[in-house]
């Protein structure tokens, strides 16, 4: 692995990189099948990713014709790694078993370990015989939409594919590792003005927010729209705020501390709600929601922007969904991609139908959407939201921070990159975009 790293750092050509031998095994962050019952009977918040996420060597799988082996310079923590590490709502080994039944190549994924991670930046080392557009030496980022391109259902919107999966969550050999094996159609060019770790944090959350707000496949935000963004300095929300501002809309950002509120204002979001300070109690007890609290949120929004929001950017789920449906404007849209606080949702349907609102679902992004979202990062129009960086050995701690909501934006993880700050190929463009803008979250982070 050292030889690979030295070659990359020395700026080796594609041919030179292709000649460096690949190791038989590599360092990776895994959960193990034998651990999948370790938290049985515990409350979600007490389940500790640090106990389940382990660093071990795994064998490098055989390369399929449509795949590439990449040297992973950096990766990031996504909430799906938190879910995998606490084995909720289900252990992810069932996904690997199902993939294993599909084909010879699928079988490689069905192991008693699961290499996690759904983001990566790095360098292509090898490509399979069917790969046309990528070659050793290409600097790339990886999106996590894992698509069966021989399935007809994948050919309108690939997120509608019957076999659509999320790499590193529903497949093995994810990005929190020194190497990864990915499909060639997961690759996108690395933004040249960013470090490895800044480049690694974007693809999953940025693409998801792009589809939710910008794409015609979900909310299809218009200029002038007001958008309520839950978790506005979180992984999804930090990109959502930028999309609303870039698209001529008005973001109303919800956060849970004065520090996060300050960061949000630094990003240019003027309408900020600190949900902790406001003390909303949408649920008066486990079974009952309190409409007067929904109304109070609606009043607070009107107090800030003088009207209701056209779109609600939803992901907390059970705790907030009733309020989200209530506060959306007549004819407005609630776009949802997740349910962090619980997936059995309750809302008052009268507020939905009588006011002609709609609930729209969204999930990651197809290749075209991920590419468009990545292009916006490459052009400096959307910034990475990396607030902290951990070494691969401390992935458990990094995932713990996300699980406990102690973080802001995204946490980067150094894989082969020996230190922070490497990988910038276009310093002039970085200067043009502005160091302050690129590192806004990092300066707030730890
Ligand atoms: P994140 O970085 O943890 O940010 C989420 C933010 O939501 C938190 O920082 C918190 O912000 C806010 N929040 C959490 N619980 C809340 C509650 N009960 N009420 C109100 N606000 C709450 O996570 P993320 O990366 O943005 O992901 C959020 C969710 O989306 C996760 O469940 C993840 O699995 C899912 N997701 C789905 C997709 C997809 O493709 N379907 C893609 C990415 C993520 P404050 O404390 O500051 O309010």
């Amino acid at each position: 692995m050292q030889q690979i790293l030295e070659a990359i750092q020395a700026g080796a050509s594609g041919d030179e990189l292709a000649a460096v031998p690949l190791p038989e095994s590599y360092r990776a962050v895994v959960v193990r099948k034998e651990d999948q019952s370790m938290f049985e009977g515990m409350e979600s918040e007490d389940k500790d990713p640090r106990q389940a996420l382990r660093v071990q060597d795994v064998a490098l799988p055989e390369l399929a014709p449509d795949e590439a082996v990449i040297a992973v310079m950096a990766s990031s923590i996504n909430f799906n790694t938190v879910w995998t590490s606490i084995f909720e709502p289900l252990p992810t080994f069932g996904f690997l078993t199902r993939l294993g039944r599909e084909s010879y190549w699928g079988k490689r994924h069905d192991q008693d370990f699961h290499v996690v991670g759904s983001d990566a930046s790095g360098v292509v080392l090898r490509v399979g015989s069917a790969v046309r557009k990528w070659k050793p030496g290409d600097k790339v980022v990886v999106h996590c939409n894992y698509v069966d391109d021989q399935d007809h259902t994948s050919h309108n919107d690939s997120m509608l594919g019957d076999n659509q999966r999320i790499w590193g969550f529903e497949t093995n050999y994810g990005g929190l590792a020194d190497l990864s094996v990915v499909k060639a159609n997961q690759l996108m060019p690395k933004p040249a003005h960013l470090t490895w770790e800044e480049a690694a944090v974007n693809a999953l959350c940025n693409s998801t927010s792009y589809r939710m707000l910008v794409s015609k496949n979900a909310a299809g935000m218009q200029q002038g729209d007001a958008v309520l963004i839950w978790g506005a300095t979180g992984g999804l929300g930090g990109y959502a705020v930028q999309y609303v501002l870039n698209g001529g809309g008005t973001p109303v950002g919800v956060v849970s501390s004065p520090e996060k509120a300050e960061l949000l204002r630094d990003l240019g979001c003027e309408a900020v709600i600190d949900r902790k300070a406001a003390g909303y109690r949408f649920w008066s007890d486990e079974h009952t929601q309190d409409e007067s609290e929904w109304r109070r949120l609606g009043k607070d929004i009107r107090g800030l922007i003088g009207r209701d929001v056209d779109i609600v950017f939803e992901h907390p789920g059970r705790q907030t969904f009733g309020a989200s449906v209530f506060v959306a404007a007549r004819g407005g849209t609630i776009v949802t991609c997740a349910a962090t606080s619980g997936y059995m949702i309750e809302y008052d349907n009268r507020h939905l139908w009588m006011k002609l609102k709609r609930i729209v679902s969204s999930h990651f992004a197809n290749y075209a959407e991920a590419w468009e979202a990545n292009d916006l990062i490459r052009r400096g129009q959307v910034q990475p939201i990396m607030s902290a960086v951990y070494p691969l050995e401390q992935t458990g701690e990094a995932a713990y921070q996300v699980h406990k909501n102690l973080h802001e934006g995204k946490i980067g993880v150094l894989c082969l990159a020996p230190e922070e700050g490497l990988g910038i190929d276009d310093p002039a463009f970085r200067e043009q975009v502005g160091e302050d803008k690129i590192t806004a979250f990092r300066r707030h982070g730890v």
Side-chain angles (χ1 to χ4, degrees), residues 79 83 204 235-236 256 260 275 337-338 340 363-364 405 407:
F79 219 97
W83 297 125
L204 190 147
L236 291 172
S256 64
K260 288 181 177 181
R275 66 179 168 104
C337 76
T340 314
H363 184 40
F364 187 60
N405 195 19
H407 69 303

Side-chain angles (χ1 to χ4, degrees), residues 190-195 421 423-435 438:
K190 173 189 171 288
H193 65 297
L194 299 183
T195 65
I424 299 170
D425 286 326
D426 192 345
F429 185 58
R430 186 178 178 93
E431 206 179 315
Q432 197 183 318
V433 175
E435 191 71 25
I438 295 169

Side-chain angles (χ1 to χ4, degrees), residues 77-80 83 144 159 166 204-205 208-209 212 230-238 254-257 260 275 282 313-317 319-320 336-341 362-365 402-403 405 407-410:
I77 303 296
N78 282 296
F79 219 97
N80 64 7
W83 297 125
C144 62
M159 288 308 296
I166 298 295
L204 190 147
C205 281
T208 304
S209 294
M212 285 176 80
W230 291 106
T233 59
L236 291 172
V254 185
V255 288
S256 64
S257 72
K260 288 181 177 181
R275 66 179 168 104
F282 301 136
F313 186 84
E314 230 315 312
H315 51 87
Q319 285 295 328
T320 54
T336 176
C337 76
T340 314
S341 65
S362 193
H363 184 40
F364 187 60
V402 175
H403 182 35
N405 195 19
H407 69 303
E408 287 167 349
K410 298 288 305 172

Side-chain angles (χ1 to χ4, degrees), residues 172-339:
N172 215 327
Y173 307 114
L176 284 159
D178 287 340
L179 296 177
S180 189
V181 173
V182 300
K183 289 195 184 243
N185 63 15
Q186 290 177 252
L187 297 175
M188 308 189 291
K190 173 189 171 288
H193 65 297
L194 299 183
T195 65
W196 292 115
E197 58 280 4
E198 287 164 351
V201 300
N202 306 305
L204 190 147
C205 281
N206 180 39
S207 312
T208 304
S209 294
Y210 179 87
R211 180 172 172 123
M212 285 176 80
L213 283 176
V214 182
S215 168
K216 65 177 173 10
N217 285 320
M221 196 192 90
Q222 304 288 308
Q223 294 209 358
D225 277 353
V227 183
L228 181 74
I229 302 170
W230 291 106
T233 59
L236 291 172
Y239 296 104
V241 168
Q242 298 185 62
Y243 282 119
V244 177
L245 288 170
N246 289 358
T250 304
V252 180
V254 185
V255 288
S256 64
S257 72
E259 295 75 30
K260 288 181 177 181
E262 186 195 324
L263 171 56
L264 205 44
R265 289 195 184 93
D266 283 356
L267 294 179
C269 177
E270 288 167 13
V272 178
I273 294 176
D274 181 338
R275 66 179 168 104
K276 216 171 205 172
Y280 301 118
R281 291 199 60 206
F282 301 136
W283 290 81
S284 42
D285 63 46
E286 209 183 314
H287 307 288
T288 323
Q289 296 201 61
D290 181 348
E291 187 173 320
S292 69
E293 286 292 276
W294 300 345
R295 215 170 275 287
R296 185 155 73 89
L297 171 65
K299 216 171 143 208
D300 289 347
I301 294 168
R302 286 183 185 177
L304 284 168
I305 61 166
R307 59 195 176 103
D308 293 331
V309 287
D310 305 287
I311 298 172
V312 181
F313 186 84
E314 230 315 312
H315 51 87
R318 185 169 174 80
Q319 285 295 328
T320 54
F321 208 93
S324 294
V325 169
F326 181 82
V327 299
R330 185 179 280 269
T333 301
I334 299 96
V335 60
T336 176
C337 76

Side-chain angles (χ1 to χ4, degrees), residues 62-76:
E62 185 187 352
L63 187 65
D66 62 346
E67 291 178 342
V69 178
I70 59 163
V72 183
M73 301 305 283
S75 180
S76 90

